[in-house]
Amino acid sequence: MRTQVAIIGGGPAGTLLSHVLRRAGIASVVLERQSRDYVLGRIRAGVLEWGSVEFLRANEVGDRMDAEGHVHDGTRIAWAGRDSFYIDIKKHVGSQFMAYGQTEIQKDLYDAGDRIGTEIVFDASDVEIHDITTGTPHVTYSANGDTARVDCDYVAACDGYHGVGRPTIPHDVLRTYEKVYPFGWLGILSETPPLPDLVYCNHPRGFALASMRNPMLSRYYVQCSLDDTVDEWPDERFWEELLIRLPEDTRDEVVTGPSIEKSIAPLRSFVAEPMRYGSLFLAGDAAHIVPPTGAKGLNLAISDVYYLSRALIHHYERADDRYLDNYSDMALRRVWSAVRFSWWLTLLLHRFPDQTEFDQRAQEAELEYLRSSHFAQASMCEQYAGLPFET
Ligand code: RFL
Ligand code: PHB
């Protein structure tokens, strides 16, 4: 098989890239290790920056998002059981965000792919990248017991944190930066009406977050120990803990019910540089991970695809490699800014096992500053809403 761009990973980054390229007449093949149903069953992100919303719209995969997603002007923050305060993002920076599940975006992308004829191979195992510095790379994989080969001009590794793309880059070229946090997030989905706003809470017993997917689907999280298992958290315990951590002004509004999904995710910050090696480009979680506190992971995957698709389109349509050559630097500027913001918000809102009384008081002072200062709120809003894409 011969194509122009071989894409490894059929998550949001890989499928969006193949979709945008296909619209520009550039051929690609996506190799996804899992089945389509498996990918669609993973519950993950729920918040889209406006730049992500506009990029999806511009590529005609935004209709259902616009019909079913929920536009928000701001978000709530609470601490130490006090009443929450509203941070009005629209007022401070003129931007909004959209609550729309990653699962739904993934479904929209697969459906759009069926319509416009993008090529996705599901259940592709043993993917390997070859000759990445030669200018004539190829990728091999196994499917249905056979081995297949894809010859291509470029390889885009959109294969997430545990993929094969990043380890293909030699150790003496790749530089990685990592911070692991000493807790996880236990998340549940329940078919109950959500609170009207997202509410982020810092409570003495740990962080909590109220979020949503649609008018009858709520998403809630509580900070938990890394040793905890889902079995140790029956629904009754989850709801009891969530209600303790939520501020009084929101507690009474929460409608509880049986969970339909429950999972624990560890929190990590991670960046790999550079995001290009020879003909290989990394995009999305393959190159970077952020703790979910800032709601940035999916948005970074989308902005990487924005930069990479533009670079490939300029290469094929105009023989202009300026954006390809700048891809790593340009993408990493946005990545580091989101990594810093996600780290900062994680420090502000969580209780750390080794937190001293000094740390505690400094954290409270910062929360008070955020509550009372227009400037602190504007800075947070600018980053939560997402920095603009570079031209
Ligand atoms: P993905 O989604 O991991 O997709 C990678 C795909 O590659 C496949 N794959 C392979 N395929 C072939 N061969 C191999 N060797 C392969 N190895 C892996 C995998 O099967 C998979 O299908 O990466 P991508 O596309 O870069 O997308 C990134 C996002 O999924 C991720 O950043 C977000 O979900 C993070 N995230 C959030 N991001 C936000 O922007 N807003 C949020 O509100 C938000 N909330 C979250 C989150 C992540 C969470 N978890 C579970 C970590 C909340 C949570 C709880
Ligand atoms: C979610 O709805 O899953 C969600 C929302 C906001 C975050 C993280 C996750 O910061």
Side-chain angles (χ1 to χ4, degrees), residues 3 14 36 52 56 134-135 142 164 220 247 283 322 376 382 384:
T3 193
R36 182 167 172 150
S52 301
L56 294 172
T134 62
S142 310
V164 293
Y220 292 101
R322 190 172 27 133
E382 184 182 30
Y384 193 85

Side-chain angles (χ1 to χ4, degrees), residues 331-380:
L332 281 166
R333 275 195 285 277
R334 206 165 190 284
V335 165
W336 272 111
S337 139
V339 164
R340 194 210 69 83
F341 175 68
S342 305
W343 161 81
W344 169 76
L345 202 58
T346 301
L347 295 193
L348 185 68
L349 293 176
H350 290 76
R351 297 293 168 129
F352 285 70
D354 60 354
Q355 199 155 327
T356 63
E357 281 181 28
F358 176 90
D359 299 334
Q360 175 59 34
R361 293 301 294 262
Q363 195 188 54
E364 284 169 18
E366 187 160 6
L367 282 160
E368 181 56 41
Y369 173 55
L370 182 62
R371 191 189 65 76
S372 57
S373 162
H374 158 81
F375 299 103
Q377 290 193 9
S379 167
M380 178 185 155

Side-chain angles (χ1 to χ4, degrees), residues 74-379:
T75 184
R76 290 193 170 276
I77 295 192
W79 82 95
R82 299 210 217 162
D83 283 354
S84 61
F85 62 96
Y86 187 65
I87 299 201
D88 193 331
I89 297 172
K90 194 170 177 203
K91 184 186 88 184
H92 284 297
V93 293
S95 188
Q96 295 170 299
F97 65 89
M98 175 88 80
Y100 188 62
Q102 178 169 330
T103 316
E104 305 308 318
I105 297 173
Q106 191 66 71
K107 184 168 182 310
D108 296 343
L109 284 167
Y110 285 153
D111 289 350
D114 292 342
R115 276 197 308 279
I116 70 169
T118 55
E119 203 168 328
I120 306 184
V121 180
F122 289 99
D123 302 305
S125 54
D126 308 321
V127 172
E128 284 180 31
I129 302 167
H130 309 271
D131 299 339
I132 204 62
T133 52
T134 62
T136 51
H138 70 277
V139 175
T140 53
Y141 66 96
S142 310
N144 307 317
D146 292 329
T147 302
R149 168 177 172 141
V150 184
D151 290 283
C152 55
D153 303 329
Y154 296 106
V155 178
C158 304
D159 47 355
Y161 183 66
H162 300 287
V164 293
R166 196 178 63 249
T168 303
I169 303 178
H171 287 300
D172 56 344
V173 175
L174 194 73
R175 178 114 202 245
T176 60
Y177 304 82
E178 186 174 45
K179 183 172 275 297
V180 176
Y181 301 87
F183 40 72
W185 277 19
L186 168 66
I188 69 154
L189 267 182
S190 78
E191 289 172 315
T192 50
L195 297 175
D197 296 317
L198 274 91
V199 189
Y200 290 86
C201 312
N202 177 332
H203 188 274
R205 294 171 67 96
F207 171 83
L209 170 62
S211 183
M212 68 274 302
R213 289 293 177 271
N214 65 47
M216 265 312 285
L217 197 55
S218 302
R219 180 78 166 149
Y220 292 101
Y221 298 96
V222 293
Q223 176 184 342
C224 66
S225 158
L226 280 172
D227 303 326
D228 285 1
T229 61
V230 166
D231 293 340
E232 290 166 355
W233 283 90
D235 288 359
E236 306 72 53
R237 180 175 173 209
F238 181 88
W239 290 116
E240 193 182 323
E241 190 62 38
L242 178 78
L243 293 178
I244 292 173
R245 296 185 192 186
L246 286 177
E248 231 174 273
D249 62 348
T250 46
R251 192 175 297 148
D252 296 343
E253 290 176 64
V254 174
V255 182
T256 63
S259 67
I260 57 167
E261 195 267 351
K262 195 183 280 165
S263 51
I264 293 179
L267 269 67
R268 173 194 307 275
S269 300
F270 174 84
V271 182
E273 298 179 346
M275 287 170 65
R276 175 187 186 171
Y277 178 67
S279 306
L280 173 70
F281 293 85
L282 307 181
D285 280 12
H288 40 76
I289 296 287
V290 286
T293 327
K296 290 290 173 225
L298 173 61
N299 291 295
L300 281 181
I302 293 174
S303 60
D304 286 353
V305 169
Y306 172 87
Y307 290 135
L308 184 54
S309 60
R310 179 174 64 182
L312 290 165
I313 291 168
H314 274 250
H315 169 78
Y316 285 112
E317 283 182 0
R318 307 184 195 178
D320 172 6
D321 283 356
R322 190 172 27 133
Y323 286 118
L324 272 184
D325 293 340
N326 284 338
Y327 168 71
S328 181
D329 289 344
M330 216 181 238
L332 281 166
R333 275 195 285 277
R334 206 165 190 284
V335 165
W336 272 111
S337 139
V339 164
R340 194 210 69 83
F341 175 68
S342 305
W343 161 81
W344 169 76
L345 202 58
T346 301
L347 295 193
L348 185 68
L349 293 176
H350 290 76
R351 297 293 168 129
F352 285 70
D354 60 354
Q355 199 155 327
T356 63
E357 281 181 28
F358 176 90
D359 299 334
Q360 175 59 34
R361 293 301 294 262
Q363 195 188 54
E364 284 169 18
E366 187 160 6
L367 282 160
E368 181 56 41
Y369 173 55
L370 182 62
R371 191 189 65 76
S372 57
S373 162
H374 158 81
F375 299 103
Q377 290 193 9
S379 167

Side-chain angles (χ1 to χ4, degrees), residues 54-75:
E54 286 180 341
F55 188 54
L56 294 172
R57 280 181 184 161
N59 285 287
E60 294 182 5
V61 274
D63 287 355
R64 204 163 64 90
M65 169 187 76
D66 280 325
E68 297 176 17
H70 191 291
V71 176
H72 292 259
D73 292 349
T75 184

